[in-house]
Amino acid sequence: NSPSSHSIRLGEYNLDTNPDSQDINGITVTTNPVQEYFEGEFTVKVHDDYDNSHGSNDIALIKLHHPARVSQANIGKIRLPFNKPTLPLTLLAIGFGRTENFTVARILRKGSMKVVQRDECLLQYQKVVEDEAMRPLTEKQFCLKEMNEQIVTVTCEGDSGSPIQTVVRDGSHFTWIQFGITSFGSDTICGYKTTPTVAVNVYSYLNWILDNADGVGLERE
């Protein structure tokens, strides 16, 4: 699902992905049906060096056995960050992860987050996580926290694997680019975590993506 072009904190705006209607700020919005892929209709390629204990190389590809119908209004493509090694200062996280009440989100949520410097991220983790349990951060990861200083992060359990993206100008129009993938955070209350979210840096895995995506519709910009 493609977020709107303006940034709003997770929970303030909801995009329902069920084929029904809902009221958003007094306006009735009807969404298109979701596209579901069942067992046997896709193949998963996990990174060969994925380390579950440390969260490193936390990336995988899903190959659909039949194309997605991108003609639907709520289904679309997103660009990879070719030629964009530098992270923007702010990014948008989306997902169906648990809410601040730790209930499962039925609707797609999103929130603006800012990139945190690595030293600051490590320092904040060490304040709440014992040294022996600290997951080492690699150069292929980056950290984010919520724009609102009262809430450090908006991601939670269930958001892992979700895209972290931003919209950029491409000539006369705007396009979405995926810079990251939500990986992990601390095991504290959703919406009130005291440590940033750790994300996979997609730019660091572009060669791996191209090598394992069969080259279908993928080429460098």
Side-chain angles (χ1 to χ4, degrees):
N1 289 357
S2 179
S4 61
S5 60
H6 56 286
S7 299
I8 305 177
R9 188 170 66 82
L10 213 64
E12 291 181 356
Y13 181 90
N14 298 320
L15 178 60
D16 199 330
T17 56
N18 290 313
D20 59 5
S21 298
Q22 63 173 324
D23 183 85
I24 299 177
N25 297 329
I27 301 175
T28 300
V29 177
T30 302
T31 61
N32 293 322
V34 297
Q35 291 182 36
E36 295 183 280
Y37 286 80
F38 301 96
E39 186 175 354
E41 296 183 314
F42 60 88
T43 304
V44 179
K45 169 62 177 177
V46 179
H47 197 286
D48 293 335
D49 296 323
Y50 168 60
D51 186 341
N52 183 51
S53 61
H54 291 151
S56 57
N57 300 306
D58 188 11
I59 186 172
L61 293 174
I62 299 176
K63 179 181 178 180
L64 305 179
H65 293 179
H66 54 86
R69 298 185 301 277
V70 295
S71 59
Q72 282 188 207
N74 63 335
I75 303 294
K77 300 178 182 179
I78 190 168
R79 287 191 175 185
L80 296 176
F82 292 115
N83 304 321
K84 298 184 184 300
T86 303
L87 291 169
L89 295 179
T90 60
L91 291 163
L92 188 72
I94 67 173
F96 286 96
R98 293 185 181 274
T99 68
E100 61 275 13
N101 298 320
F102 211 65
T103 56
V104 176
R106 174 181 161 276
I107 48 183
L108 183 64
R109 292 186 166 191
K110 62 183 180 179
S112 295
M113 303 183 76
K114 61 182 178 180
V115 176
V116 179
Q117 294 299 317
R118 184 175 303 275
D119 290 346
E120 179 185 349
C121 184
L122 287 170
L123 180 61
Q124 293 195 41
Y125 260 102
Q126 290 169 352
K127 289 180 180 178
V128 295
V129 182
E130 293 182 2
D131 290 342
E132 60 269 22
M134 174 63 189
R135 295 184 177 191
L137 300 182
T138 72
E139 294 300 319
K140 295 183 178 181
Q141 296 168 312
F142 64 93
C143 300
L144 305 105
K145 66 179 180 181
E146 227 279 350
M147 297 292 290
N148 184 335
E149 294 298 332
Q150 301 302 315
I151 303 177
V152 177
T153 182
V154 295
T155 59
C156 194
E157 180 183 339
D159 285 322
S160 297
S162 299
I164 296 173
Q165 56 204 15
T166 192
V167 64
V168 299
R169 181 181 291 276
D170 182 14
S172 60
H173 64 280
F174 292 92
T175 185
W176 287 93
I177 295 179
Q178 182 174 348
F179 283 89
I181 305 169
T182 300
S183 184
F184 65 87
S186 66
D187 297 325
T188 50
I189 301 173
C190 296
Y192 299 94
K193 294 181 181 180
T194 53
T195 57
T197 293
V198 177
V200 174
N201 191 333
V202 173
Y203 183 86
S204 300
Y205 292 92
L206 290 179
N207 288 332
W208 179 84
I209 292 172
L210 292 173
D211 290 342
N212 290 277
D214 296 335
V216 178
L218 283 177
E219 60 183 29
R220 291 187 178 275
E221 294 178 347

